[in-house]
Amino acid sequence: MLAPAMLPRRAAAQNRAHSFGWRKDQFLLDGAPFVIRSGEMHYPRVPRPYWRDRMRKMKALGLNTLCTYVFWNLHEPQPGKFDFADNLDLAEYLRTAHIEGLWVLLRPGPYICSEWDFGGLPAWLLADPEMRVRSADPKFLAAAAQYMKRVGREAAPLQVTRGGPILMVQVENEYGSFGNDKQYLGAIRQTVRDAGFDVQLYTSDGSEKSNLAGGTLDDALSVINFGDGSNPQREFANFANFRQNVPRMCGEYWVGWFDHWGEKHHVTQAGRGAAGVDWMLSQGISFNLYMVHGGSSFGFMSGANDGRVYEPDISGYDYDSPLDEAGRPTAKFQALRDAIRRHLPQGTNLPELPAALPTIAIPRFELKESAPLLARLGSPTRSPRPVTMEAAGQAYGFILYRKPRVRAAKGKLEIADVHDYAVVYQGERRLGALDRRLKQSTLDVTLDDGQPLDILVENLGRTNFGPQLVNDRKGILGKVALNSEELTEWETYPLPMTEPGRWPFAARSVRGPALYRGTFSLQALGDTFLDMRGWGIGAAWVNGHCLGRYWRVGPQQSLFVPAHWLKMGLKRGSNEVIVLDLEEGGSRALQAGVDPIYETPGA
């Protein structure tokens, strides 16, 4: 890693303004033909100490450009309260790319998809039942404009015309797969311009005629998205039927794919993506590898698809990328490197790969302390019917609905529209669970007289793609009924799980949903993967950092732990692990290994 004192001098050396544009079918950088060889990598998914390592590997792959989304929900977690610090320091991310010799394609949204909760839109937008996102609704446009203006303060000074690395800025994202409202697209384009972005604008859509018709703008370049299983020649033939005499580019060349809970882990052949890159470069076509390095959707940030059924995404965003979740080159990396090298100017040598980062295994250790999840509830809000998570002022995590007293009864409990996974209890007695993926909404129950009825709901990720995203609120969206008679008068307790270490842990046996705590010591630091096999469903934290969700249904059975979140020392128990598990009777011990674990039981 470069010494901090070196950075200003090197940055200043690259502070000369450049021109970037196009003529006919070629991009032009300072007037000369330029082919964009880009790779997608997202700063929130990669710990800041690793940004430079991953960028240098991109250079060694043969790339000259980095592409990234900007994440509205992270930068404005509450209306008007912005965060661009630490791992969210967008400007520093872009400056680092510039220092490492990479140009930048910036995709600020406001919608970004990306298998990210709500497609990057902040959850507080859904607190207003009248607001319609991704539309010309004045309330949405006003919120988006305020966000974009703040992004402009960070990134506009880093445009190529001002000596920075940003070549182009994308307007919205794959809008043609969602709608065809040109008034809305035009308004978003104007928010981008008003935020100070004066470089070339572009849109990105599938090559189908309907997508291009709905998602493009006459005064912005258009690029198309497709995967390594497609025929690039056919994709660009489709594009030629829509536009000609413009630069051709694959804005997202999917060299892998993402995973949903309960599916098999997606893997594609290394040579397939390389063949597509080889062909595009032979035609002078630009591309952006999606993803060159996926990283991890830490915390509760993974999203979901909702077409025929609801399909939540795992926390790992490995994407079967050329650089795996831990940033290590794969066979796909070498195949792509060979393809790119064939099209470089004669005499051009690619940089060597940086030295491999250390990895470690952690021997099995027990989580000897526990705390009932419901032992730490705040003051409830009361309402006739359950209220959504967003209406309760909560964005992520879990939410508890409690009916303080019910009558003795036996029959069918119906919970309409559970989003997304509900566990039902009466006292310490588990009555069952409902899984939105399986379209479950009823349980056969026997209720005791005078006892509370608890419904604990986990938000597994808001829809990030398709028309359903506009109203994918979380919690219980409908009514709760017993034998067709509605149960009313509910208490609602938000459980965002931002500070799990504040629960009352003790060495004891517990029933019901609970947190478990254990410690371990290290004599060396390195990246590792926490093995979650044997546990049920929940989330895990290491030294206060939320690694993400786990679920026994797979395919993800481990959670990536970056080395810099760990502590080294001989002091006993210097590292703390907390696991929240909604199920009983599973493992209460952990270990970690040097590789991820993908297993899907029954698949």
Side-chain angles (χ1 to χ4, degrees):
M1 183 173 292
L2 294 176
M6 294 178 63
L7 299 186
R9 177 175 60 81
R10 290 191 60 185
Q14 302 183 50
N15 203 31
R16 180 174 65 86
H18 295 265
S19 66
F20 182 81
W22 59 278
R23 182 175 58 246
K24 293 187 177 179
D25 63 351
Q26 290 184 322
F27 288 113
L28 301 175
L29 180 62
D30 292 333
F34 182 73
V35 175
I36 297 171
R37 304 189 304 272
S38 176
E40 187 99 8
M41 183 174 75
H42 304 146
Y43 52 101
R45 285 177 159 138
V46 181
R48 181 168 175 162
Y50 293 161
W51 289 350
R52 193 176 302 275
D53 171 78
R54 306 317 194 239
M55 291 174 185
R56 290 180 176 177
K57 289 169 179 172
M58 291 173 64
K59 290 286 290 182
L61 181 58
L63 304 182
N64 58 22
T65 304
L66 176 148
C67 184
T68 185
Y69 285 124
V70 184
F71 295 71
W72 184 3
N73 67 333
L74 297 183
H75 289 301
E76 193 180 5
Q78 299 177 46
K81 295 183 179 180
F82 291 94
D83 183 0
F84 285 87
D86 302 322
N87 226 91
L88 299 180
D89 193 339
L90 171 64
E92 184 60 24
Y93 185 66
L94 304 181
R95 283 191 293 265
T96 303
H98 199 188
I99 292 166
E100 292 300 327
L102 291 166
W103 301 105
V104 169
L105 304 178
L106 191 68
R107 309 213 278 171
Y111 162 80
I112 63 171
C113 187
S114 193
E115 291 69 62
W116 194 263
D117 185 89
F118 202 17
L121 302 174
W124 49 261
L125 293 171
L126 292 173
D128 182 349
E130 303 301 321
M131 182 183 289
R132 185 170 178 84
V133 302
R134 297 188 82 188
S135 81
D137 179 343
K139 290 184 290 186
F140 176 71
L141 291 178
Q146 177 176 258
Y147 151 73
M148 197 69 70
K149 184 177 181 180
R150 186 65 181 81
V151 172
R153 282 175 51 188
E154 298 291 322
L158 295 168
Q159 295 175 96
V160 66
T161 50
R162 307 181 199 180
I166 301 173
L167 300 177
M168 297 198 295
V169 175
Q170 183 177 301
V171 178
E172 236 268 355
N173 185 60
E174 292 186 317
Y175 183 71
S177 299
F178 178 82
N180 58 5
D181 185 346
K182 296 299 183 179
Q183 179 187 356
Y184 166 67
L185 267 189
I188 295 301
R189 173 188 54 203
Q190 192 60 48
T191 68
V192 173
R193 288 300 190 205
D194 290 345
F197 293 106
D198 53 21
V199 293
Q200 178 66 54
L201 301 183
Y202 74 104
T203 59
S204 188
D205 292 281
S207 71
E208 294 82 2
K209 183 177 179 180
S210 60
N211 290 345
L212 291 168
T216 56
L217 292 163
D218 290 340
D219 57 353
L221 286 178
S222 173
V223 305
I224 57 174
N225 303 338
F226 54 86
D228 63 8
S230 299
N231 182 327
Q233 188 170 2
R234 183 175 62 247
E235 297 287 347
F236 282 103
N238 290 343
F239 181 70
N241 291 328
F242 181 77
R243 279 187 185 174
Q244 294 186 12
N245 294 317
V246 294
R248 293 173 296 169
M249 178 173 178
C250 182
E252 290 185 11
Y253 184 50
W254 308 316
V255 291
W257 202 244
F258 55 91
D259 297 327
H260 297 130
W261 289 113
E263 294 180 351
K264 289 185 177 181
H265 175 53
H266 285 89
V267 177
T268 65
Q269 296 176 354
R272 198 166 74 179
V277 165
D278 193 18
W279 184 86
M280 285 187 279
L281 289 177
S282 74
Q283 304 299 309
I285 295 174
S286 298
F287 63 85
N288 174 47
L289 302 177
Y290 193 101
M291 301 286 298
V292 66
H293 174 48
S296 310
S297 300
F298 295 113
F300 299 115
M301 289 299 112
S302 54
N305 283 67
D306 189 6
R308 183 178 57 84
V309 294
Y310 173 72
E311 299 173 303
D313 300 321
I314 66 172
S315 290
Y317 203 57
D318 175 87
Y319 215 89
D320 192 32
S321 299
L323 296 172
D324 74 4
E325 191 174 3
R328 297 172 295 192
T330 66
K332 190 171 288 185
F333 182 99
Q334 189 58 53
L336 287 164
R337 191 174 196 243
D338 291 342
I340 292 170
R341 187 170 7 215
R342 284 194 289 272
H343 298 278
L344 297 177
Q346 188 173 3
T348 301
N349 294 316
L350 293 179
E352 293 298 320
L353 273 168
L357 298 175
T359 57
I360 61 170
I362 300 172
R364 192 170 181 84
F365 61 95
E366 301 263 340
L367 280 68
K368 298 180 179 179
E369 295 181 303
S370 60
L373 176 63
L374 306 189
R376 191 172 181 268
L377 298 175
S379 299
T381 57
R382 295 176 173 84
S383 58
R385 280 185 169 183
V387 298
T388 65
M389 186 177 280
E390 294 79 11
Q394 182 183 349
Y396 313 104
F398 303 75
I399 191 166
L400 176 71
Y401 300 99
R402 172 172 287 172
K403 183 166 177 58
R405 293 174 63 89
V406 294
R407 299 192 305 269
K410 184 176 182 178
K412 192 172 294 293
L413 180 70
E414 180 180 2
I415 308 175
D417 231 357
V418 170
H419 289 199
D420 300 303
Y421 186 85
V423 186
V424 183
Y425 282 90
Q426 191 173 39
E428 292 187 340
R429 188 163 57 90
R430 178 184 170 115
L431 303 180
L434 299 175
D435 186 344
R436 181 183 174 191
R437 297 177 311 137
L438 307 179
K439 297 185 178 182
Q440 296 173 337
S441 60
T442 61
L443 287 174
D444 291 323
V445 298
T446 299
L447 300 179
D448 297 331
D449 189 53
Q451 297 297 312
L453 176 67
D454 287 343
I455 306 172
L456 177 66
V457 180
E458 179 179 2
N459 165 5
L460 289 173
R462 291 178 184 83
T463 302
N464 56 259
F465 183 82
Q468 292 83 357
L469 75 87
V470 301
N471 55 13
D472 191 8
R473 294 170 175 84
K474 296 303 178 181
I476 297 176
L477 278 61
K479 67 180 182 179
V480 181
L482 180 64
N483 294 328
S484 300
E485 180 181 349
E486 183 174 3
L487 301 178
T488 59
E489 305 307 320
W490 291 87
E491 297 176 350
T492 300
Y493 299 85
L495 288 164
M497 303 310 298
T498 54
E499 298 179 292
R502 300 190 65 171
W503 257 252
F505 287 93
R508 61 188 164 195
S509 174
V510 294
R511 295 185 62 189
L515 296 100
Y516 300 86
R517 184 167 67 181
T519 62
F520 61 92
S521 300
L522 292 174
Q523 296 184 14
L525 294 182
D527 296 332
T528 193
F529 290 86
L530 201 62
D531 185 347
M532 301 306 302
R533 289 175 295 183
W535 293 77
I537 177 174
W541 293 258
V542 170
N543 293 330
H545 299 278
C546 188
L547 305 178
R549 302 183 182 96
Y550 67 89
W551 198 352
R552 56 179 168 77
V553 299
Q556 182 177 1
Q557 301 287 356
S558 58
L559 290 166
F560 178 60
V561 186
H564 78 282
W565 288 358
L566 298 172
K567 302 173 185 177
M568 185 173 65
L570 298 178
K571 182 180 178 181
R572 185 175 181 182
S574 56
N575 293 277
E576 177 187 76
V577 178
I578 294 175
V579 176
L580 167 60
D581 202 338
L582 304 189
E583 297 188 356
E584 300 173 355
S587 172
R588 298 300 173 240
L590 288 169
Q591 60 189 19
V594 298
D595 292 310
I597 303 167
Y598 294 106
E599 295 176 0
T600 304

